[in-house]
């Protein structure tokens, strides 16, 4: 459409220019004629005074001539313009003629110049016409800027929104690449994400194992050296026989007052840990100065960081047992720098396989704790809600003389257990105890060996199922129960 | 309504055409004056070139009347001045006429629009 309009305009311009050119041509012709006449005149003027008189045939009207003479050949009457005449000699006439000739010549030159200009315009218009109608050799140069434009636009935007898990890896990958590669990178992103999730599952399993092991070690610490050796034995046995139950049975006799299942769980965890090569996980929270570790009673009434002890133990055990494990991997595995590490380390153990824990808050550290036996009561509490937890806590305070410790112990894991309580159980936090509670031993008699560990196993899943039969012992403080159980 | 508008429109158009004619007339007169001006300038120059020995004639109808050189010069000069004056007058006249014609043109266009609207309404009604 634009071309059509353009062509119309061009045509009009073309015609106009042509007309101007024609006009100029006509004028030039006229002036050329005039100049020719004047040249003839000058010639005549030059020859006329040669003779005094000339015999000529004088025209009489349009059709007749008369013989006559031409006299006063030097006298010429010249028209000056506007009906004015002047009598002058031929020479003067010549001057006048020359004068006029000058004028005529200037006119001709001007006209010729304009004609040239218009002729150039005509040429230009013709070219425009050809361009507009897209014929001839003139072509509109057009460049497709779509692709280049996109690249130019997106060249700066190398990064795409990645999921937090995969971000650190992918940023390095994508920054240097271009659009196409970026797409590949996005695809890559998804695959790495999947890998990461798989890894997370693995790590959760590991974590479970670790927690079990920790619990085991914790119990060992509680009882002194024997337990450590026992745990080491357990670990050894765990290495040999991955079966959980078998371990439990084998380990049950040596431990005194300990849950076989706990040990089994711990051993299993240890097992898995050993197999997986993971060590005690240590979660470092930014808001807390010290790592979130369980304070344990080392038997000498000294407070130690649970994890430290465990780490030492783990390290020693590891050194003893596994030649392949080196300190580096040990530390690296322990080190938690990203959320991925958390999931890696905190793994549940189910049926002898590491299963990624659904919630790291629901850590097996609970199992490590003394009050792991109170899972039953906690399960019961779960039905009633959190206030049951509070009740149990208060109960604990009132009933026990060492509640000071219990209180302090409660406080630290309170935040965690409450969180977890919201999910499945009222309380499943880590338990901190400063010293053994022999006085508490006679208190608690209710701690069915079979149920708690099972509950622990099924903390995330089947807690409600186990709850009903445990309404009765609910009242008993969990800490107490745990302590009793442990002792 | 439409018919009245139409009549009005016609009258206005006629007026406009008259005005246009006046404009063209004045334009042509001015052009003539300009040529005469040029010619008289040439005559003046020629007369200046001449000396007293030459006689100057003026063509009045079929008769060549002898004129004095000085008189001729004076006459020509006067004519020139006259021509210039005429040209200026015509120029002013032309300007006025053009203004009037523009005003009239606008009026005509507005009337035309009204007429078209009326016609459109009439068509719609029909």
């Amino acid at each position: 459409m634009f071309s059509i309009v353009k062509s119309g305009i061009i045509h009009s311009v073309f015609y106009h220019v042509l007309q101007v050119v024609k006009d100029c041509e006509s004028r030039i012709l006229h002036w050329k004629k005039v100049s020719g006449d004047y040249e003839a005149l000058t010639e005549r003027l030059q020859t006329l005074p040669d003779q005094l008189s000339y015999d000529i045939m004088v025209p009489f009207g349009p059709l007749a001539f008369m013989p006559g003479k031409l006299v006063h050949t030097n006298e010429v009457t010249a028209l000056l313009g506007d009906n004015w005449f002047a009598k002058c000699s031929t020479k003067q006439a010549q001057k006048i003629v020359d004068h006029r000739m000058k004028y005529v010549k200037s006119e001709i030159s001007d006209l010729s110049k304009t004609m040239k200009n218009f002729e150039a315009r005509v040429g230009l218009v013709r070219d425009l016409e050809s361009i507009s109608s897209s014929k001839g050799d003139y072509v509109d140069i057009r460049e497709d800027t779509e692709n280049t434009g996109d690249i130019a636009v997106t060249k700066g935007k190398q990064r795409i929104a990645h999921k937090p898990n995969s971000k650190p890896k992918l940023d390095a990958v994508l920054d240097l690449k271009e659009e196409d590669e970026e797409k590949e990178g996005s695809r890559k992103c998804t695959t790495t994400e999947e890998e990461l999730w798989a890894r997370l599952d693995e790590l959760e399993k590991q974590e479970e194992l670790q927690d079990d092991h920790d619990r085991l070690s914790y119990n060992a610490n509680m009882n002194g050296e024997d337990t450590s050796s026992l745990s080491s034995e357990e670990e050894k046995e765990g290495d040999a026989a991955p079966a959980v139950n078998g371990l439990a049975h084998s380990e049950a006799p040596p431990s005194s007052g300990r849950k076989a299942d706990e040990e089994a769980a711990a051993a299993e965890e240890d097992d898995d840990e050993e197999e997986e090569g993971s060590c005690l996980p240590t979660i470092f929270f930014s808001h807390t100065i010290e790592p979130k570790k369980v304070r344990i009673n080392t038997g000498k009434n000294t407070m130690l960081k649970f994890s430290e002890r465990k780490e030492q133990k783990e390290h020693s055990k590891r050194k003893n047992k596994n030649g392949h494990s080196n300190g580096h991997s040990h530390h690296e595995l322990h080190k938690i720098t990203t959320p991925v590490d958390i999931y890696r380390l905190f793994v549940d153990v189910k049926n002898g396989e590491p299963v990624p824990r659904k919630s790291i808050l629901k850590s097996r550290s609970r199992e490590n704790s003394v009050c792991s036996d109170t899972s039953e009561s906690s399960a019961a509490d779960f039905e009633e809600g959190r206030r049951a937890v509070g009740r149990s806590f208060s109960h604990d305070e009132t009933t026990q003389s060492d509640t000071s410790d219990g209180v302090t112990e409660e406080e630290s894991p309170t935040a965690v257990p409450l969180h977890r309580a919201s999910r499945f159980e009222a309380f499943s936090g880590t338990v901190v105890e400063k010293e053994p509670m022999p006085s508490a031993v006679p208190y608690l008699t209710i701690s069915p060996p079979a149920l708690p560990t099972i509950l622990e196993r099924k903390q995330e899943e089947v807690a409600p199922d186990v709850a009903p039969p445990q309404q009765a012992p609910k009242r008993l403080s969990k800490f107490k129960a745990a302590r009793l159980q442990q002792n | 309504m439409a018919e009245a508008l139409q009549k009005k429109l016609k009258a206005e158009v006629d007026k406009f055409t008259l005005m246009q004619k006046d404009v063209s007339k004045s334009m042509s007169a001015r052009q003539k004056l300009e040529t005469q001006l040029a010619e008289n300038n040439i005559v003046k120059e020629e007369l200046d070139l001449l000396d007293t020995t030459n006689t100057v004639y003026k063509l009045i109808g079929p008769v060549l009347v002898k004129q004095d050189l000085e008189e001729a010069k004076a006459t020509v000069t006067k004519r020139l001045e006259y021509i210039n004056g005429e040209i200026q007058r015509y120029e002013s006249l032309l300007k006025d006429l053009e203004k009037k014609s523009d005003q009239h043109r606008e009026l005509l266009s507005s009337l035309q629009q009204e007429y078209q609207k009326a016609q459109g309404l009439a068509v719609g009604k029909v």
Side-chain angles (χ1 to χ4, degrees):
Chain A
M1 185 181 159
F2 175 65
S3 65
I4 291 162
V5 169
K6 217 174 157 185
S7 66
I9 292 164
I10 287 163
H11 273 116
S12 64
V13 167
F14 188 62
Y15 285 131
H16 176 70
V17 169
L18 272 175
Q19 276 184 354
V20 170
V21 169
K22 281 177 186 174
D23 190 35
C24 280
E25 281 179 359
S26 65
R27 279 188 198 178
I28 283 169
L29 278 171
H30 172 257
W31 285 117
K32 274 186 179 172
K33 197 181 169 186
V34 167
S35 70
D37 289 342
Y38 274 122
E39 281 175 6
L41 184 62
T42 48
E43 198 183 329
R44 179 65 63 218
L45 282 171
Q46 283 172 355
T47 58
L48 198 62
D50 292 340
Q51 285 185 350
L52 280 169
S53 64
Y54 288 97
D55 290 323
I56 54 168
M57 291 296 281
V58 180
F60 261 61
L63 298 167
F65 288 91
M66 271 269 313
K69 276 190 178 176
L70 191 66
V71 293
H72 300 289
T73 54
N74 205 27
E75 290 175 20
V76 177
T77 310
L79 176 67
L80 300 173
D82 196 21
N83 297 334
W84 287 96
F85 291 90
K87 215 175 203 180
C88 52
S89 66
T90 52
K91 282 189 181 177
Q92 287 166 343
Q94 184 75 45
K95 282 180 188 176
I96 292 166
V97 169
D98 291 339
H99 206 71
R100 284 184 192 171
M101 273 291 281
K102 254 168 121 184
Y103 177 74
V104 167
K105 276 181 182 177
S106 66
E107 284 287 308
I108 285 171
S109 63
D110 289 342
L111 278 170
S112 61
K113 278 180 189 175
T114 49
M115 216 179 90
K116 274 181 189 177
N117 290 334
F118 274 94
E119 272 175 359
R121 275 196 205 180
V122 164
L124 186 69
V125 167
R126 275 192 190 137
D127 291 343
L128 276 170
E129 202 176 8
S130 65
I131 287 163
S132 67
S133 59
S134 66
K135 54 189 172 185
D137 299 337
Y138 296 95
V139 178
D140 221 356
I141 300 164
R142 285 195 181 185
E143 194 179 318
D144 273 340
T145 56
E146 289 173 3
N147 296 332
T148 55
D150 287 350
I151 287 167
V153 165
T154 59
K155 231 175 188 172
K157 300 178 189 176
Q158 288 297 327
R159 293 170 177 242
I160 57 176
H162 301 303
K163 291 188 182 178
N165 290 333
S166 59
K167 193 176 179 181
K169 282 185 188 178
L170 291 166
D171 279 350
V173 166
L174 291 172
D175 277 346
L176 303 169
K177 291 183 183 178
E178 286 184 8
E179 203 181 28
D180 297 336
E181 293 174 23
E182 197 179 23
K183 286 176 189 170
E184 289 171 16
S186 64
R187 270 181 259 127
K188 213 177 177 178
C189 172
T190 53
T191 54
T192 48
E193 273 183 47
E194 289 167 5
E195 288 169 16
L196 278 165
W197 283 118
R199 189 102 202 283
L200 280 169
D201 294 337
E202 266 180 43
L203 293 169
E204 275 194 44
K205 286 179 192 171
Q206 283 180 21
E207 193 195 350
E208 289 291 335
L209 267 178
Q210 180 62 42
D211 285 340
D212 282 340
H213 182 72
D214 292 343
R215 188 170 51 75
L216 185 69
S217 318
Y218 174 53
N219 295 334
N221 289 334
M222 290 297 290
N223 297 332
E225 288 295 314
D226 297 338
T227 52
S228 65
S229 60
L230 260 166
S231 56
S232 64
E233 282 175 11
E234 286 166 6
E235 284 180 23
K236 282 179 185 172
E237 288 178 355
D239 282 339
V244 177
N245 294 330
L247 271 171
H249 287 303
S250 61
E251 289 158 4
S255 66
S256 58
R258 198 187 300 164
K259 298 289 173 194
D261 290 344
E262 290 174 15
E263 293 167 9
E268 205 180 328
E269 267 192 349
D270 293 343
D271 224 10
D272 292 347
E273 277 179 353
E274 291 299 333
E275 288 167 358
E276 307 245 352
S278 65
C279 297
L280 176 70
T282 307
I283 303 168
F284 291 84
F285 291 98
S286 60
H287 57 272
T288 55
I289 298 161
E290 61 186 40
K292 183 181 184 292
K293 302 169 187 174
V294 179
R295 275 176 277 167
I296 56 166
N297 176 21
T298 53
K300 292 177 185 178
N301 209 21
T302 57
M303 291 291 294
L304 248 191
K305 300 295 178 189
F306 179 52
S307 57
E308 282 175 6
R309 262 307 281 261
K310 281 192 184 173
E311 280 175 4
Q312 290 167 12
K313 273 193 175 181
E314 288 296 322
H315 197 71
S316 59
K317 283 173 198 169
R318 199 165 286 281
K319 290 260 157 121
N320 292 335
K321 287 195 205 174
N322 301 333
H324 66 270
S325 71
N326 46 357
H328 278 296
S329 62
H330 181 269
H331 288 298
E332 280 177 3
L333 286 162
H334 268 299
K335 191 178 169 189
I336 295 170
T337 54
T338 67
V340 172
D341 297 332
I342 293 169
Y343 283 101
R344 174 171 56 79
L345 292 166
F346 290 87
V347 293
D348 286 350
V349 177
K350 288 181 188 172
N351 303 326
E353 288 177 6
V355 171
R357 193 170 300 171
K358 290 178 184 176
S359 167
I360 57 167
L361 295 172
K362 203 179 296 176
S363 66
R364 288 291 168 188
S365 57
R366 190 185 174 285
E367 292 162 359
N368 302 333
S369 68
V370 179
C371 70
S372 59
D373 295 341
T374 57
S375 60
E376 45 187 304
S377 50
S378 68
D381 287 338
F382 170 68
E383 287 191 354
E384 295 189 0
R386 285 190 194 177
R387 54 201 168 92
V389 178
R391 244 186 285 134
S392 61
F393 286 163
S394 60
H395 181 73
D396 189 19
E397 283 176 27
T398 51
T399 50
Q400 284 202 345
S401 58
D402 311 349
T403 44
S404 60
D405 296 339
V407 169
T408 54
E409 288 155 3
E410 281 173 26
E411 282 172 4
S412 56
T414 301
V416 176
L418 283 174
H419 278 299
R420 287 162 61 181
S422 63
R423 275 194 82 170
F424 291 99
E425 55 221 351
F427 173 72
S428 60
T430 56
V431 173
V432 179
E433 282 208 11
K434 285 188 180 177
E435 50 189 3
M437 314 298 291
S439 59
V441 173
Y443 265 87
L444 243 189
T445 51
I446 303 163
S447 7
L451 287 170
T453 46
I454 293 167
L455 280 168
E456 285 167 7
R457 281 276 161 263
K458 302 175 185 176
Q459 266 175 19
E460 295 101 36
E461 297 171 2
V462 209
D465 295 347
V466 195
Q470 288 145 9
Q471 290 283 353
K474 167 192 72 159
R475 262 322 194 168
L476 191 62
S477 125
K478 293 185 202 96
F479 294 113
K480 241 193 220 167
R483 270 182 243 119
L484 287 169
Q485 191 64 38
Q486 193 188 13
N487 294 332
Chain B
M1 179 65 182
E3 289 180 0
L5 272 172
Q6 205 172 8
K7 282 178 184 175
K8 214 177 171 184
L9 196 67
K10 274 185 180 178
E12 290 296 319
V13 166
D14 294 336
K15 276 188 193 174
F16 187 66
T17 49
L18 283 169
M19 283 184 75
Q20 288 283 14
K21 279 180 185 176
D22 292 337
V23 168
S24 61
K25 275 181 190 174
S26 58
M27 282 278 283
S28 62
R30 193 167 165 276
Q31 280 173 354
K32 267 187 195 173
L33 284 168
E34 280 193 9
T35 51
Q36 283 179 1
L37 185 72
E39 207 175 347
N40 274 293
N41 279 320
I42 291 165
V43 168
K44 195 166 183 265
E45 288 172 11
E46 294 284 344
L47 283 172
D48 292 335
L49 283 167
L50 282 170
D51 55 9
T52 51
T53 53
N54 309 91
T55 51
V56 179
Y57 297 94
K58 186 173 165 98
L59 185 68
I60 300 168
V63 178
L64 269 175
V65 176
K66 201 171 177 180
Q67 291 280 337
D68 198 13
L69 186 63
E70 299 296 329
E71 274 185 50
K73 280 185 184 178
T75 313
V76 169
T77 317
K78 277 181 187 175
R79 184 143 174 88
L80 267 171
E81 288 172 6
Y82 172 72
I83 287 166
N84 282 323
E86 283 285 298
I87 283 168
Q88 285 174 4
R89 191 170 67 82
Y90 269 103
E91 273 185 8
S92 62
L93 191 69
L94 208 64
K95 277 183 184 177
D96 291 338
L97 280 171
E98 277 184 13
K99 280 183 187 176
K100 281 184 186 176
S101 67
D102 290 336
Q103 288 172 3
H104 216 78
R105 209 178 289 141
E106 288 173 10
L107 192 68
L108 264 175
S109 62
S110 64
L111 276 171
Q112 269 182 346
Q113 282 178 6
E114 283 180 21
Y115 183 65
Q116 281 172 6
K117 280 181 188 176
Q119 278 206 330
L121 280 169
V123 169
K125 280 179 189 173
V126 171

